Amino acid sequence: MSGRVIPLGTDIHSRVQALLPWYVRGSLDIEERARIEAHLGECALCQAELAWERRLHVADDAAAPSEDVERDLALLRERLVGAAVPARQGERAARLPRGWRQGPAWLRWALVAQCAVIATLMLGLFADAPSPEQRYRALGRHAVVPVAGGGNLVVRFRPETTEQQMRQTLRDSDARLVYGPTTTDAYVLSVPAERVKDAIGRLRAQRTVLLVESLDGAGAP
Amino acid sequence: MLRTPRVAAATVDARCASVASADAHLVHRTAGGDLHAFEQLYRAYHPRLTRFLERLTRRPGLVGELLNDTMLVVWNRAGTYNGRCQVSTWIFAIAYRKAMKALQRWDEPVGDAAADEDRAPPDAEPEQQLAQSQLRALLSGALEGLSAEQRAVVALTYLHGVGYREIAEIVGCPVDTVKTRMFYARRRLKALLGDQLGDWL
């Protein structure tokens, strides 16, 4: 059926009967209800239609869906790994090159220097980087994530987060950097097992943190 | 304490407004990359979208994938939600478009009676389970006789209590087209179900 409009009958019965499904479910406005009730009060034909509509309403309520929320959500989490961040951030990223070109030269050099410092620090931190089979693979809690050094959290920072802010965030959360960045700019952190939930709460409260997930299911939302 | 209908309606309206506001807040947080907010939204909409997509597509095996396709769009495009319509309208419109595209691609007939039979509440009496199962089979067969567009209007109206103006926004057609689809869907259902509906109630 296309979007074309086939005119309903011009008689009052057709117009009332067309609205009965919404009348029975209480989704008409007051004026429409009043018009229908005025007609129903004097029309046996439309009263019979209303009775049938009520029977259909009861029958349809009996049909409950089969559903498994957590199973479906786990499947979607797998698809979210590596997916683009929501549009607003994507748009911000797309604007970056223009801002980069238009910004003052000293700022560009400062950013380059900062990136170099971060890279140097990362190299130092990950001198004992895990073997390929030990790499972080997925955000899903069911995923197998054998990470060296006992990593138990995965975190993504906002793109604009500075190295100094990252360090401060880790200190505040009592977390230690174990591995990262992954291909999706995620970092694997290690926190004492008894403080995982607390650390997740602290990290989620940080403005610099885009997302944080437990790798063993603890503290999951 | 008894409440007048007007007070009760105002309470319901306030509750709906509160839910709508909470949903909009979750979408806003999702736009900022908040996975926790997105998962809250997912859990809130999963049952409703499941029912809608099952009714619309008549393909239980396709529902989970379509639902996740829908929510993936919500995740990726949360920043484009402008608040001009309710979050539910926005999300159902995405689901509707996904389902209609899928139906164009998948053209084989599907009738999953086994899946239908599994849906009776576990604590229901055996006789009640049998009656519900037969009733669902009856209704399911009748809905098969409707077009996908008609089923969408029927599902949104009967399962979700959505008004015809909002349905017009969701399916992207004029209000009169929604009324027309419902009018002919009802007529078709009545012809297919006849008096059998009353026998089960």
Side-chain angles (χ1 to χ4, degrees):
Chain A
M1 189 172 180
S2 68
R4 71 199 168 97
V5 179
I6 303 167
L8 295 173
T10 52
D11 63 296
I12 180 72
H13 305 292
S14 296
R15 280 185 275 129
V16 166
Q17 286 169 25
L19 292 176
L20 284 179
W22 293 290
Y23 173 75
V24 167
R25 284 149 192 85
S27 53
L28 293 180
D29 61 34
I30 295 172
E31 287 177 12
E32 285 171 321
R33 284 189 73 82
R35 270 206 306 276
I36 286 175
E37 281 165 2
H39 177 75
L40 286 171
E42 56 192 27
C43 178
L45 178 69
C46 289
Q47 282 173 16
E49 286 290 328
L50 177 62
W52 188 85
E53 187 62 45
R54 289 193 197 285
R55 286 202 296 276
L56 183 64
H57 182 36
V58 172
D60 211 33
D61 273 359
S66 55
E67 55 187 68
D68 188 336
V69 182
E70 296 308 320
R71 179 203 62 199
D72 289 345
L73 182 54
L75 290 171
L76 183 59
R77 279 202 196 98
E78 287 179 2
R79 293 171 67 183
L80 290 183
V81 175
V85 290
R88 187 180 297 176
Q89 297 196 348
E91 288 159 10
R92 195 184 298 151
R95 287 196 299 269
L96 188 61
R98 190 173 53 190
W100 173 259
R101 286 193 302 270
Q102 291 173 351
W106 67 265
L107 182 60
R108 290 200 292 271
W109 283 111
L111 283 171
V112 168
Q114 190 180 40
C115 288
V117 169
I118 291 172
T120 308
L121 285 171
M122 292 297 178
L123 279 173
L125 276 171
F126 305 126
D128 57 344
S131 59
E133 65 276 14
Q134 290 172 318
R135 282 179 189 153
Y136 164 73
R137 288 182 199 154
L139 289 179
R141 73 184 64 150
H142 58 287
V144 179
V145 190
V147 177
N152 46 10
L153 290 181
V154 62
V155 64
R156 277 179 71 188
F157 293 96
R158 293 187 178 281
E160 65 271 21
T161 305
T162 64
E163 180 266 339
Q164 187 182 9
Q165 288 172 320
M166 284 170 66
R167 273 193 286 121
Q168 190 59 47
T169 300
L170 296 184
R171 277 201 202 99
D172 291 347
S173 311
D174 197 19
R176 187 168 56 84
L177 196 56
V178 174
Y179 180 65
T182 67
T183 52
T184 55
D185 287 333
Y187 294 88
V188 179
L189 307 181
S190 171
V191 295
E194 68 278 10
R195 293 190 205 160
V196 169
K197 283 187 179 174
D198 181 51
I200 289 174
R202 285 168 182 267
L203 286 165
R204 283 192 176 138
Q206 296 287 335
R207 282 189 302 111
T208 53
V209 173
L210 204 54
L211 71 85
V212 56
E213 286 288 312
S214 165
L215 292 177
D216 53 14
Chain B
M1 186 176 122
L2 289 175
R3 290 185 301 183
T4 65
R6 185 171 290 185
V7 171
T11 307
V12 170
D13 284 349
R15 206 168 290 161
C16 287
S18 168
V19 169
S21 168
D23 283 357
H25 183 59
L26 287 176
V27 170
H28 179 70
R29 285 170 55 195
T30 298
D34 185 336
L35 188 59
H36 181 53
F38 173 71
E39 290 185 351
Q40 279 183 264
L41 202 60
Y42 186 96
R43 290 191 177 93
Y45 277 86
H46 188 282
R48 284 183 271 176
L49 287 175
T50 300
R51 285 162 73 90
F52 175 60
L53 290 168
E54 276 190 358
R55 174 59 53 83
L56 175 54
T57 64
R58 318 298 304 149
R59 288 167 172 80
L62 198 60
V63 169
E65 186 185 337
L66 281 175
L67 195 151
N68 278 356
D69 285 350
T70 300
M71 293 308 289
L72 192 60
V73 172
V74 170
W75 167 256
N76 283 326
R77 301 189 59 78
T80 66
Y81 172 69
N82 55 21
R84 285 184 193 157
C85 62
Q86 290 185 38
V87 169
S88 59
T89 306
W90 182 60
I91 292 178
F92 273 97
I94 296 168
Y96 177 75
R97 289 194 294 271
K98 289 282 176 194
M100 296 307 283
K101 274 186 189 171
L103 287 176
Q104 285 166 4
R105 287 196 308 269
W106 298 60
D107 204 25
E108 78 280 10
V110 171
D112 194 342
D116 281 347
E117 285 167 9
D118 289 340
R119 290 179 202 157
D123 55 349
E125 297 293 327
E127 287 173 12
Q128 192 187 344
Q129 283 187 356
L130 180 63
Q132 282 186 338
S133 176
Q134 288 168 323
L135 188 57
R136 283 196 292 274
L138 186 70
L139 200 55
S140 180
L143 288 165
E144 203 72 54
L146 304 181
S147 70
E149 288 86 352
Q150 287 173 337
R151 285 201 302 270
V153 174
V154 166
L156 289 167
T157 305
Y158 290 7
L159 294 181
H160 303 284
V162 181
Y164 60 81
R165 292 185 185 86
E166 193 180 343
I167 293 175
E169 284 186 66
I170 290 171
V171 303
C173 72
V175 164
D176 282 346
T177 303
V178 173
K179 289 183 189 172
T180 303
R181 284 177 184 171
M182 177 57 89
F183 182 82
Y184 287 102
R186 270 188 92 248
R187 199 151 84 172
R188 181 87 177 131
L189 283 177
K190 210 171 173 194
L192 292 167
L193 291 168
D195 293 330
Q196 298 176 80
L197 196 59
D199 295 342
W200 297 105
L201 300 172

